[in-house]
Amino acid sequence: LSEIQAALAAGRYDQAADVAEQRIGMSSLERHGASHMAPYMPKAMQDIGTNMHRAASRFARAAQEASVTNEPSHALGALAELTQQCVACHASFRLK
């Protein structure tokens, strides 16, 4: 997330989009073995994870749009939706 934020701050919207999609977006699922890990996660965690991956892909599209319009407000809103999924999972599922 920090790399995405740094790219946004520097106006490198396409870079932010690429990082988001390739590392945490829907395109990243196979690379980090989501399908073999998911059965070991509670259903609620699976749902939050799916929502997070989808939100990352939505952010990537919004960041690509910002690279054309040079207006990042929609991308920033999409980033907030993405981080809400991160917070939801980390708040609900912790190792003690």
Side-chain angles (χ1 to χ4, degrees):
L1 287 175
S2 63
E3 191 173 340
I4 292 167
Q5 292 169 330
L8 283 177
R12 295 189 311 264
Y13 306 123
D14 283 331
Q15 180 184 354
D18 289 343
V19 170
E21 185 58 41
Q22 297 306 312
R23 295 195 190 161
I24 56 177
M26 294 300 290
S27 299
S28 74
L29 294 178
E30 190 170 322
R31 183 172 341 150
H32 42 89
S35 63
H36 84 271
M37 292 174 12
Y40 301 103
M41 298 176 185
K43 175 76 168 110
M45 182 184 262
Q46 291 175 17
D47 292 344
I48 294 170
T50 298
N51 290 337
M52 185 273 303
H53 291 298
R54 288 181 178 152
S57 290
R58 285 192 300 272
F59 163 78
R61 285 191 304 275
Q64 288 170 333
E65 291 171 10
S67 72
V68 174
T69 64
N70 203 32
E71 174 49 55
S73 61
H74 184 68
L76 292 170
L79 182 60
E81 292 176 16
L82 166 59
T83 57
Q84 286 171 359
Q85 297 305 312
C86 299
V87 170
C89 189
H90 285 271
S92 299
F93 301 97
R94 299 173 182 245
L95 294 176
K96 295 181 182 186

